[in-house]
Amino acid sequence: MAEAASAKHDVFQAIADPTRRELLKLLSGQELPLKDISSRFPISRTAVSKHLRILAEAGLVRERKVGRETRYRLDADPLLELKRWLAYYERFWENKLSLLKHYVESEPGAEPAGLRPVPTPPSGSASETPGE
């Protein structure tokens, strides 16, 4: 826990950027040096290095010196925090999907339990088309 508190960037901040998510995907199956990583992105090597630093500060990327180059690899353990957070909210989606399934499979015209009907606009509202 002390390690997480001392991190400059948390997992949520780190994965908020699409480039960093692509970096994680790239590093998920292999360890690569900066030159190989940066050649796969339309941004400068310095920008890629900054993204990698943010990922490393969040604990998502590990660095290893091999001779004069630094190689990077994914460390997916911190993603468990994200998985736990999403799992909490998953139950809300499951409930809504269950209600939708029940609604779709119910008899036509039947109002499913747990769903509120959409109110109809009052007559004379702006949503009516001219001539009605």
Side-chain angles (χ1 to χ4, degrees), residues 62 115 125:
R62 298 284 177 219
L115 291 180
S125 70

Side-chain angles (χ1 to χ4, degrees), residues 92-113:
F92 297 109
W93 282 106
E94 288 174 357
N95 182 36
K96 296 296 183 196
L97 290 173
S98 176
L99 286 170
L100 178 62
K101 180 180 184 225
H102 177 65
Y103 175 74
V104 169
E105 293 174 351
S106 67
E107 295 180 29
E111 190 174 303

Side-chain angles (χ1 to χ4, degrees), residues 35-111:
K35 65 179 178 138
D36 290 350
I37 297 169
S38 59
S39 69
R40 300 176 191 215
F41 290 88
I43 57 178
S44 71
R45 189 174 183 162
T46 304
V48 170
S49 183
K50 287 179 182 180
H51 283 296
L52 287 167
R53 186 171 48 246
I54 290 169
L55 291 170
E57 288 171 356
L60 290 165
V61 169
R62 298 284 177 219
E63 302 173 354
R64 182 172 71 99
K65 282 287 206 186
V66 177
R68 293 187 344 197
E69 70 181 11
T70 303
R71 294 187 181 190
Y72 299 87
R73 66 179 168 83
L74 171 70
D75 181 358
D77 288 345
L79 292 174
L80 290 174
E81 176 187 359
L82 178 65
K83 182 179 179 184
R84 284 190 296 269
W85 185 81
L86 288 171
Y88 174 79
Y89 292 98
E90 188 176 340
R91 65 187 170 130
F92 297 109
W93 282 106
E94 288 174 357
N95 182 36
K96 296 296 183 196
L97 290 173
S98 176
L99 286 170
L100 178 62
K101 180 180 184 225
H102 177 65
Y103 175 74
V104 169
E105 293 174 351
S106 67
E107 295 180 29
E111 190 174 303

